[in-house]
Amino acid sequence: MKKKVVSMVLAAIMGVSLAACGSPSDDSSKGDDKKTEDEAGDDKTADDKTGDDAEQGDEADNTGGDAGGDVANKDKPLVWFNRQPSNSSTGELDMAALSFNDKTYYVGFDANQGADLQGTMVKEYIEANIDSIDRNGDGIIGYVLAIGDIGHNDSIARTRGIRKALGTGVEKDGDINSDPVGTNSDGSAKAVKDGEIEVNGKKYVVRELASQEMKNSAGATWDAATAGNAIGTWSSSFGDDIDIIASNNDGMGMSMFNAWSKDNKVPTFGYDANSDAVAAIADGYGGTISQHADVQAYLTLRVLRNALDGVDIDTGIGTEDDAGNTLSDDVYVYNEEQRSYYALNVAVTADNYKDFTDSTKIYDPVSKQLDAGAHPTKKVWLNIYNASDNFLSSTYQPLLQSYDDILNLEVDYIGGDGQTESNITNRLGNPSQYDAFAINMVKTDNAASYTALLNQ
Ligand code: BGC
Ligand code: CA
């Protein structure tokens, strides 16, 4: 029965995300890019054919290619991950970066589908716990919201998802305003409005009491320590007006949970399904969203492997590879126009969290070792924009480190400080030493700081 529910949910998710990806609606300004895209698409088909030949060639002489020695850096495989090249104010995709060469891709997850899931999860929790949720019984359900990075599309989507589900969003430029409100104890803030929720014939007001970007004084965003401090301030000014805590991610969510909400039994909702957050559901953490990091980490390295092997990019993804690895289409979508792979999200709540306890466990359908003869070792430069980001360091990187062995990739992991791009680009001093690159930018606008180095 549980299984049936899960597949129904997945079916619903698929519907939503296909709809989302099928309409590159906000790309109206990119008519030209689109054309280039289509051309690139055609080229790709041609490449695929020669790719297959190349693969056979490699297998025959078993040299596995020339280790990227003669390939110009600008022609090497490149994958952007976790931060999609885009304008941090408008969200418009940076198609120049996404199609830097014909071996360039983005790997992330479907931000809107996940944001809708998070909002719905919180709303359903309120409905199911309506008898106890309003702690001071004043008819107002108050929540506070921790925002990760006001210029990051995932963060923006999650803020909107919460406001949409709870009815607190107001429109700005054709979409839900995602600005932080600061404090809003009396409901007079302009960036949000009071929502209303009706359960069992009774109406409740829903109010965003406070929200803030969790950025520390040095400039690091999604900052867990800042969130831990914020809940201290918020709880002393709002006390038991706070009925729910929502957070753009688990790093900040767990910091608030440990600092205050666990003891005060206030359900806290995050995102990422980091192992510590999933375990905390047993102690009252409200829930989280898995962005299928096990699938994303695989895709991040897999697209590089395929490009290096010169095979069809779908190998080991939608098409089973020679070792038997393949992903089913209920865990990811590929948007060819955006050259982007998006993993699909799953809600993790008290009902199913036991299935998600180890966030670093690789995904079984893509866990088979590639043959070292047919897929010889290649060198990859990969950076994590912030070495102390909870999700990237505790979930994503451990997964990458398991898949790099399976895919015969020798990866140099570079950890950034989360604040300055140059801290990372300085360590891409000699791209010629590598066969491929995987990049996680500090700021989504900054793709050119990396491609400039590869163009030199
Ligand atoms: C994750 C956050 C993380 C951010 C970093 C998001 O996708 O959910 O937890 O801090 O990426 O870029
Ligand atoms: Ca109340």
Side-chain angles (χ1 to χ4, degrees):
M1 167 116 156
K2 215 176 201 170
K3 213 165 164 196
K4 198 155 156 212
V5 173
V6 170
S7 50
M8 272 161 58
V9 171
L10 282 173
I13 291 169
M14 281 302 293
V16 172
S17 57
L18 286 176
C21 296
S23 60
S25 47
D26 33 35
D27 292 352
S28 44
S29 60
K30 293 193 303 257
D32 292 349
D33 289 341
K34 233 154 103 196
K35 201 140 144 231
T36 330
E37 269 312 288
D38 292 346
E39 282 160 21
D42 291 340
D43 289 359
K44 218 180 97 222
T45 325
D47 280 359
D48 290 347
K49 283 205 206 87
T50 46
D52 288 339
D53 295 339
E55 187 194 33
Q56 277 160 18
D58 282 358
E59 266 167 36
D61 62 13
N62 214 8
T63 60
D66 48 15
D70 322 324
V71 182
N73 293 324
K74 69 172 178 43
D75 297 324
K76 291 176 181 173
L78 165 63
V79 62
W80 309 98
F81 69 97
N82 179 262
R83 301 196 149 191
Q84 191 171 26
S86 54
N87 182 307
S88 62
S89 330
T90 65
E92 190 189 350
L93 296 185
D94 176 353
M95 285 312 304
L98 287 164
S99 48
F100 173 65
N101 62 32
D102 65 353
K103 301 178 202 73
T104 302
Y105 297 91
Y106 170 72
V107 172
F109 63 97
D110 188 327
N112 295 326
Q113 177 252 343
D116 282 345
L117 272 185
Q118 193 194 27
T120 304
M121 169 174 73
V122 174
K123 181 165 183 246
E124 286 176 350
Y125 185 96
I126 294 175
E127 288 166 349
N129 294 276
I130 198 69
D131 294 335
S132 55
I133 196 88
D134 180 7
R135 295 201 302 146
N136 62 2
D138 66 352
I140 302 176
I141 297 165
Y143 72 92
V144 295
L145 171 68
I147 294 177
D149 173 348
I150 54 170
H152 187 296
N153 63 320
D154 299 344
S155 187
I156 293 170
R158 292 171 201 173
T159 297
R160 287 182 174 147
I162 292 290
R163 291 178 178 171
K164 183 172 149 201
L166 301 183
T168 53
V170 297
E171 207 210 274
K172 185 189 173 188
D173 304 329
D175 213 329
I176 293 175
N177 191 336
S178 60
D179 293 343
V181 294
T183 58
N184 178 38
S185 53
D186 60 358
S188 65
K190 292 281 167 286
V192 292
K193 64 176 199 272
D194 279 354
E196 191 183 76
I197 215 168
E198 190 178 328
V199 193
N200 302 330
K202 194 170 169 219
K203 288 180 175 159
Y204 298 81
V205 169
V206 185
R207 179 170 297 161
E208 183 167 312
L209 295 166
S211 53
Q212 142 190 346
E213 182 187 40
M214 299 303 172
K215 186 171 181 172
N216 72 12
S217 52
T221 52
W222 305 87
D223 190 55
T226 303
N229 292 334
I231 196 62
T233 311
W234 287 340
S235 60
S236 52
S237 45
F238 302 119
D240 58 6
D241 280 346
I242 304 177
D243 301 314
I244 300 263
I245 297 182
S247 174
N248 284 173
N249 80 357
D250 283 335
M252 301 182 295
M254 281 301 289
S255 181
M256 297 191 285
F257 185 72
N258 290 326
W260 185 74
S261 54
K262 180 178 180 192
D263 288 346
N264 290 277
K265 305 212 175 338
V266 174
T268 301
F269 296 85
Y271 202 111
D272 289 341
N274 291 337
S275 295
D276 62 336
V278 172
I281 292 177
D283 305 323
Y285 195 72
T288 181
I289 302 290
S290 162
Q291 53 169 288
H292 249 313
D294 51 356
V295 169
Q296 283 182 71
Y298 172 73
L299 285 168
T300 303
L301 296 179
R302 182 74 213 206
V303 294
L304 296 181
R305 179 76 254 176
N306 289 345
L308 289 164
D309 288 347
V311 299
D312 190 312
I313 201 64
D314 197 43
T315 309
I317 301 177
T319 310
E320 192 169 287
D321 69 9
D322 47 11
N325 295 303
T326 181
L327 291 174
S328 51
D329 59 10
D330 54 354
V331 295
Y332 81 102
V333 283
Y334 176 52
N335 183 318
E336 182 161 5
E337 197 145 351
Q338 301 176 349
R339 300 192 67 82
S340 296
Y341 286 86
Y342 300 106
L344 295 175
N345 304 265
V346 186
V348 182
T349 65
D351 294 339
N352 64 349
Y353 74 97
K354 291 201 171 107
D355 301 339
F356 292 84
T357 45
D358 182 2
S359 67
T360 65
K361 190 180 166 299
I362 60 171
Y363 192 55
D364 203 47
V366 290
S367 56
K368 290 169 211 83
Q369 180 68 44
L370 295 194
D371 180 81
H375 311 274
T377 300
K378 299 281 178 178
K379 283 205 76 176
V380 176
W381 184 94
L382 181 150
N383 88 282
I384 299 289
Y385 93 100
N386 183 354
S388 51
D389 182 272
N390 295 62
F391 167 64
L392 293 169
S393 63
S394 77
T395 296
Y396 212 103
Q397 184 168 336
L399 285 164
L400 290 168
Q401 284 170 322
S402 297
Y403 289 120
D404 66 10
D405 296 329
I406 289 174
L407 298 172
N408 302 325
L409 296 173
E410 196 184 307
V411 181
D412 278 352
Y413 292 91
I414 310 294
D417 65 6
Q419 295 151 30
T420 46
E421 219 75 61
S422 58
N423 172 279
I424 299 163
T425 50
N426 284 344
R427 288 183 278 166
L428 184 51
N430 191 357
S432 303
Q433 286 178 333
Y434 298 92
D435 300 299
F437 309 93
I439 297 175
N440 177 210
M441 292 176 282
V442 174
K443 239 184 141 219
T444 61
D445 312 84
N446 286 344
S449 342
Y450 296 86
T451 51
L453 293 174
L454 302 181
N455 269 328
Q456 263 166 26

